[in-house]
């Protein structure tokens, strides 16, 4: 951790988002062994802005056992696969919807900027889903971000929305929300909205878990 944070500081990295499954499990499956509070504090002390992505488990654990750590977090991304509890829980294979809502409550309690993040797939982009997603965001004073699925394996193709679904969902979202940042070039062009382009591999990169032989792979997002 010290080696990575020192390297990030030396090349003037400004922000780090901690994600990848659940960050609380940074040192094995037992959260009592977690190194996450040390990581967060180390980044904060290096003047690096720290964000965190979770389905809710990590944040609720930090709030319960390491509440002081929350004061060092700049922003939170809370993952939902669906704004409807039964669908989200079924897709995750665990009853996690209430963890997400609790995490949103914690963000409001501690004054942490927070976003509900949903991976846009062919089954969760109906008007009903978009409307409920926006309703939840308003209730919990959250931003909304949809990351439309980008297949990295052949089996992911069955979840990709068709063009009509893609543009209809984007149109419904934009008709009810103010655009803060645009990372989808196709939607940017269709809606005549400015965007900065995809930062992956140019302005951002991914740091992977340490390997058994002590290496830390780095790749584009």
């Amino acid at each position: 951790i010290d080696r990575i944070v020192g390297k990030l500081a030396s090349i003037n990295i400004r922000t780090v988002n901690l994600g990848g499954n659940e960050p609380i499990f940074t040192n094995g499956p037992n959260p009592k062994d977690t190194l996450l509070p040390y990581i967060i504090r180390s980044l904060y002390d290096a003047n690096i802005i720290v964000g965190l992505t979770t389905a809710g488990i990590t944040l609720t654990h930090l709030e319960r056992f390491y509440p002081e750590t929350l004061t060092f977090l700049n922003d939170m991304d809370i993952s939902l696969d669906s704004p409807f509890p039964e669908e989200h829980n079924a897709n995750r294979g665990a009853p996690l919807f209430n963890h997400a809502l609790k995490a949103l409550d914690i963000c409001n309690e501690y004054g942490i900027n927070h976003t509900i993040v949903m991976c846009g797939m062919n089954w969760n982009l109906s008007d009903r889903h978009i409307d409920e997603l926006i309703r939840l965001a308003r209730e919990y004073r959250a931003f909304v971000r949809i990351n439309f699925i980008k297949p990295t394996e052949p089996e992911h193709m069955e979840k990709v929305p068709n063009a009509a679904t893609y543009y209809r969902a984007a149109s419904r979202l934009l008709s009810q929300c103010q655009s803060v940042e645009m990372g989808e070039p196709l939607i940017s062009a269709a809606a005549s909205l400015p965007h900065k382009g995809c930062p992956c591999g140019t302005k951002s990169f991914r740091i992977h878990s340490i390997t058994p032989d002590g290496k830390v792979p780095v790749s584009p997002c």
Side-chain angles (χ1 to χ4, degrees):
I1 293 168
D2 294 339
R3 177 161 60 105
I4 294 170
V5 173
K7 177 61 70 173
L8 293 175
S10 72
I11 59 175
N12 298 316
I13 294 299
R14 295 192 301 172
T15 65
V16 166
N17 179 276
L18 303 169
N21 199 349
E22 282 293 332
I24 198 68
F25 302 114
T26 49
N27 198 30
N30 189 343
K32 292 182 179 180
D33 298 329
T34 187
L35 295 172
L36 184 59
Y38 184 82
I39 294 171
I40 293 172
R41 184 57 191 260
S42 297
L43 290 165
Y44 180 84
D45 288 345
N47 294 317
I48 296 173
I49 296 172
V50 187
L52 196 150
T53 298
T54 176
I57 295 172
T58 292
L59 188 56
T60 54
H61 190 89
L62 287 176
E63 195 265 343
R64 182 178 179 184
F65 296 104
Y66 306 95
E68 71 284 351
T69 303
L70 302 188
T71 62
F72 306 131
L73 292 171
N74 178 75
D75 56 273
M76 291 290 312
D77 291 337
I78 310 299
S79 298
L80 281 181
D81 296 334
S82 169
F84 301 107
E86 64 281 0
E87 288 186 351
H88 175 73
N89 291 341
N91 199 58
R92 293 270 163 163
L96 294 176
F97 191 84
N98 287 337
H99 280 279
L101 298 188
K102 174 62 175 175
L104 291 168
D105 277 331
I106 293 171
C107 288
N108 281 314
E109 180 182 349
Y110 282 82
I112 303 171
N113 287 329
H114 49 291
T115 300
I116 299 175
V117 181
M118 190 174 81
C119 178
M121 296 172 277
N122 54 14
W123 61 271
N124 66 356
L125 290 174
S126 70
D127 290 350
R128 174 173 166 263
H129 285 86
I130 298 298
D131 291 348
E132 181 62 13
L133 182 66
I134 293 172
R135 189 200 67 77
L136 272 178
R138 286 178 174 149
E139 179 181 348
Y140 288 94
R141 291 175 287 168
F143 293 100
V144 167
R145 187 172 84 243
I146 293 182
N147 293 333
F148 292 93
I149 188 170
K150 305 295 191 296
T152 56
E153 298 179 18
E155 55 265 32
H156 294 167
M157 288 300 298
E158 65 184 27
K159 298 180 180 180
V160 176
N162 60 31
T165 300
Y166 175 86
Y167 285 113
R168 187 188 69 247
S171 177
R172 193 158 187 96
L173 188 69
L174 291 172
S175 70
Q176 300 184 56
C177 302
Q178 178 184 355
S179 177
V180 177
E181 185 172 353
M182 177 59 67
E184 287 283 331
L186 295 175
I187 296 172
S188 174
S192 298
L193 290 170
H195 74 97
K196 301 177 181 178
C198 180
C200 299
T202 57
K203 298 178 181 178
S204 72
F205 54 87
R206 186 179 298 272
I207 302 173
H208 298 267
S209 300
I210 192 168
T211 62
D213 57 353
K215 296 179 180 178
V216 180
V218 174
S219 71
C221 294

